[in-house]
């Protein structure tokens, strides 16, 4: 796919220059909007479907969800979406976004982590970005460190932007409730809220808050709050006290109370 797209111009306007990221459903490229002459990030959807009908359902869902994400007003803590569409020649769906320079929180945690003061700033930025979506009725559903992007400004200040509102969905399912979800994973298992693993329950803004709570614990303590067995029990509805791992006991109580409230199993 990378070789196929390199140097191509999607929809006669967006020129592909270099691949800069991959995901389970997409490839992300550095590109150029040849109409406005500005650099952009171009996400190309690569998820396959087992039938033409399933592919059409996925395409319709993508278009509705991209349109929903584009409704979020420009916000300093949300990556801005400029355009979305389908290239008629390659029959590929794509989203055009602002091009960010920096690294995601997953990379930062894998390397050296964040000092507490910077961690709190990043978490506050992430909360504001999610709230911007919630204010217009959009639930993210996949809040994880890889979707929190850290942008360093000229003075060294590191701010956070929320990525991937393009796979978000409206709070109220509306007409798209009848669309199939073939091949679509609406969350990352390690950061799923209890209601997200229950097909009978609906994800709400509280689901995003829970996921951000998991990230907050990990950023502040240096470890995830639950191991795989504990996480499965929590997601199954068992009442498990929040463990004390890593530096969690050193975190000031007022911060711990905020995270503990975010991780309440009842949305």
């Amino acid at each position: 796919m990378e070789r196929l797209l390199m140097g191509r111009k999607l929809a006669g306007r967006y020129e592909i220059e270099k691949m800069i990221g991959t995901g389970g459903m997409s490839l992300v490229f550095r590109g150029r909007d040849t109409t406005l002459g500005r650099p952009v990030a171009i996400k190309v959807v690569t998820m396959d479907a087992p039938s033409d009908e399933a592919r059409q359902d996925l395409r319709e869902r993508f278009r509705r969800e991209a349109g929903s994400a584009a409704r979020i007003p420009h916000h300093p803590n949300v990556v801005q979406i400029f355009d979305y569409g389908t290239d008629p020649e390659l029959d590929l769906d794509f989203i055009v976004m602002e091009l960010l320079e920096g690294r995601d929180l997953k990379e930062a945690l894998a390397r050296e982590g964040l000092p507490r003061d910077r961690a709190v700033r990043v978490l506050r930025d992430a909360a504001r970005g999610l709230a911007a979506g919630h204010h217009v009725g959009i639930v993210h559903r996949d809040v994880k460190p890889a979707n929190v992007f850290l942008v360093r400004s000229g003075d060294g200040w590191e701010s956070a932007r929320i990525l991937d509102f393009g796979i978000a969905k409206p709070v109220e399912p509306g007409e798209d409730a009848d669309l199939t979800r073939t091949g679509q994973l609406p969350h990352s298992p390690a950061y799923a809220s209890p209601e997200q693993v229950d097909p009978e329950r609906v994800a709400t803004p509280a689901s995003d808050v829970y996921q951000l709570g998991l990230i907050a614990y990990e950023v502040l303590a240096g470890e995830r709050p639950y191991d795989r067995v504990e996480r499965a029990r929590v997601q199954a509805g068992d009442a498990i006290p929040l463990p004390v791992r890593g530096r969690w006991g050193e975190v000031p109580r007022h911060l711990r109370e905020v995270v503990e409230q975010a991780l309440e199993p009842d949305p």
Side-chain angles (χ1 to χ4, degrees):
M1 180 67 74
E2 181 182 1
R3 290 194 299 269
L4 170 68
L5 290 173
M6 202 58 59
R8 298 292 291 262
K9 190 181 292 185
L10 300 182
R13 176 173 178 174
Y14 302 107
E15 186 174 5
I16 302 288
E17 295 179 344
K18 177 184 178 182
M19 191 169 77
I20 56 176
T22 62
M25 298 166 53
S26 61
L27 298 176
V28 182
F29 296 88
R30 178 190 300 269
R32 176 164 294 276
D33 180 343
T34 58
T35 299
L36 298 179
R38 65 181 173 186
V40 293
I42 305 169
K43 175 176 288 188
V44 177
V45 180
T46 58
M47 182 171 49
D48 200 5
S51 67
D52 289 343
E53 181 181 2
R55 178 174 174 78
Q56 187 58 37
D57 282 351
L58 288 171
R59 171 160 288 170
E60 182 64 21
R61 179 173 294 278
F62 160 78
R63 289 171 178 168
R64 294 188 184 192
E65 293 172 354
S68 295
R71 293 205 319 263
I72 300 173
H74 181 51
H75 190 280
N77 302 122
V78 179
V79 64
Q80 187 175 6
I81 294 179
F82 297 139
D83 195 8
Y84 62 94
T86 302
D87 181 80
E89 182 180 354
L90 298 176
D91 195 33
L92 287 175
D93 301 311
F94 62 90
I95 301 176
V96 181
M97 306 170 288
E98 65 175 315
L99 181 65
L100 302 177
E101 300 290 346
R103 57 181 180 164
D104 61 43
L105 184 56
K106 179 180 179 180
E107 180 182 350
L109 291 174
R111 288 190 174 184
E112 74 282 354
L114 297 176
R116 186 183 300 156
D117 59 338
R118 287 173 59 200
V120 171
R121 290 201 304 268
V122 166
L123 292 168
R124 184 185 296 116
D125 285 350
R128 287 171 172 161
L130 291 171
H134 296 167
H135 287 158
V136 293
I138 305 297
V139 179
H140 191 288
R141 295 188 302 163
D142 195 23
V143 185
K144 58 186 178 182
N147 281 335
V148 179
F149 197 87
L150 307 181
V151 183
R152 185 177 294 277
S153 63
D155 59 2
W157 181 271
E158 205 165 34
S159 63
R161 309 267 186 105
I162 296 293
L163 305 180
D164 257 3
F165 262 113
I167 66 165
K169 65 170 297 196
V171 175
E172 296 296 333
E175 294 180 355
D176 87 338
D178 294 331
L179 296 176
T180 63
R181 299 186 180 183
T182 306
Q184 186 170 15
L185 183 65
H187 60 266
S188 301
Y191 295 94
S193 65
E195 63 271 16
Q196 286 181 289
V197 298
D198 185 345
E200 302 300 319
R201 300 173 71 182
V202 176
T204 70
S207 303
D208 289 349
V209 172
Y210 185 95
Q211 292 182 303
L212 186 59
L214 291 174
I215 293 174
Y217 187 107
E218 183 176 357
V219 171
L220 294 169
E223 296 185 24
R224 293 179 181 176
Y226 303 113
D227 61 28
R228 183 174 299 180
V229 174
E230 292 168 335
R231 184 170 68 243
R233 289 182 59 194
V234 170
Q235 292 175 346
D238 292 350
I240 298 179
L242 191 64
V244 177
R245 290 202 161 95
R247 300 185 301 274
W248 185 243
E250 304 169 15
V251 176
R253 178 159 185 79
H254 69 282
L255 292 179
R256 283 188 280 125
E257 288 175 347
V258 172
V259 178
E260 287 165 1
Q261 183 176 359
L263 292 177
E264 282 290 334
D266 182 354

